[in-house]
Amino acid sequence: MGAIAEALQDIHRRIDDALAASGRPAASTRLLAVSKTFPAEAIRAAHAAGQTAFGESYLQEALAKIEQLADLELEWHFIGPIQSNKTRPIAEHFAWVHGVDRLKLAERLSAARPAEMPPLDVCLQVNIGGEASKGGVAPAEAIVLARRIAALPRLKLRGFMAIPRPTPGRAEQRTQFRQLRELFDRARADGLAIDTLSMGMSDDLEAAIMEGATIVRVGSAIFGARSKTTREGQI
Ligand SMILES: *Cc1c(COP(=O)(O)O)cnc(C)c1O
């Protein structure tokens, strides 16, 4: 078995164990394989091992890979920061967008979503850690914004996404994920029809699953360590 297939097997084991430990149903968390900075061949290897959903953060790099892999049946998720002048290619080439955090952006994505495609699945990014450097709407404003996004015609609001403050402590990880989960519960109690909590990465997926993650976004634990910079100069 190749290294990527083996790593995927390990991740599935970690996901299954965490679901079992938290008393959640098997298969209630999906794996999004984050392939940013890795070549199309790595994605091919993951697909051959059964993985179909892939996350990318840098638009130019993603579009090149989407074209190179057009022969495969893949589900592409855009998980990076979104510049408002890039909404059209994102709306045209992706199935999901995880980092929506302002109304203007959501309106542009909705307007650009081609009529022949299904509505674009989106998550509202929430700045749980309160870090000035991170994207995401403040938790106190999230439900009002979620309502307005849910009303846009060509988007389907699926739920919330967060990138918490990095911390090695499991308890502190869980505290941050719990905040997103509580927001999700409140939004649903308020009548929003959402089903997705996109949270948890290579180092903290167990904590995220314990708190209810329905999608974990895992990169380095599948594809290996990323070099610090990419063509677009971002990590
Ligand atoms: C890169 C990235 C990930 C994956 O992180 P790993 O630590 O490599 O698993 C997950 N989510 C987002 C938004 C990312 O940018």
Side-chain angles (χ1 to χ4, degrees), residues 34 36 57 79-80 161 163 200-203 217-221 224 226 235:
V34 176
K36 64 183 180 203
S57 299
I79 63 171
M161 178 271 219
I163 310 172
M201 317 197 289
S202 292
D203 292 334
R217 310 177 308 267
V218 179
S220 48
R226 288 181 295 274
I235 292 176

Side-chain angles (χ1 to χ4, degrees), residues 56-59 62 76-82 90 94 96-99:
E56 291 281 340
S57 299
Y58 313 114
L59 186 62
W76 293 100
H77 294 227
F78 193 79
I79 63 171
I82 306 158
I90 292 174
F94 289 82
W96 282 70
V97 178
H98 290 238

Side-chain angles (χ1 to χ4, degrees), residues 37-178:
T37 80
F38 290 96
E41 289 63 43
I43 297 174
R44 260 185 210 287
H47 176 262
Q51 180 66 28
T52 53
F54 292 90
E56 291 281 340
S57 299
Y58 313 114
L59 186 62
Q60 293 317 310
E61 177 197 327
L63 293 176
K65 284 187 256 185
I66 289 171
E67 196 177 312
Q68 290 167 58
L69 297 165
D71 57 310
L72 303 181
E73 194 70 26
L74 303 178
E75 182 182 283
W76 293 100
H77 294 227
F78 193 79
I79 63 171
I82 306 158
Q83 293 162 7
S84 34
N85 61 341
K86 303 276 179 67
T87 45
R88 179 163 300 280
I90 292 174
E92 289 175 347
H93 294 279
F94 289 82
W96 282 70
V97 178
H98 290 238
V100 177
D101 63 357
R102 46 199 196 277
L103 186 63
K104 191 89 217 145
L105 206 59
E107 287 172 342
R108 293 181 69 120
L109 287 167
S110 181
R113 183 65 165 176
E116 69 277 11
M117 294 176 85
L120 181 64
D121 285 314
V122 300
C123 291
L124 176 57
Q125 185 176 348
V126 182
N127 191 348
I128 284 297
E131 292 168 281
S133 63
K134 285 236 175 90
V137 62
E141 290 155 28
I143 292 183
V144 168
L145 180 56
R147 278 199 183 294
R148 300 182 72 177
I149 293 175
L152 294 171
R154 301 292 298 137
L155 303 186
K156 181 165 176 51
L157 180 71
R158 296 297 298 267
F160 296 135
M161 178 271 219
I163 310 172
R165 238 180 4 258
T167 165
R170 184 63 60 88
E172 163 72 0
Q173 289 171 359
R174 284 189 64 166
T175 301
Q176 295 190 69
F177 291 133
R178 189 173 310 131

Side-chain angles (χ1 to χ4, degrees), residues 24 28-29 181 184 197 199 207-215:
R24 294 182 51 196
S28 53
T29 300
R181 164 61 182 275
F184 175 80
L197 267 175
M199 59 186 194
I209 289 172
M210 293 285 191
E211 296 300 338
T214 65
I215 297 182

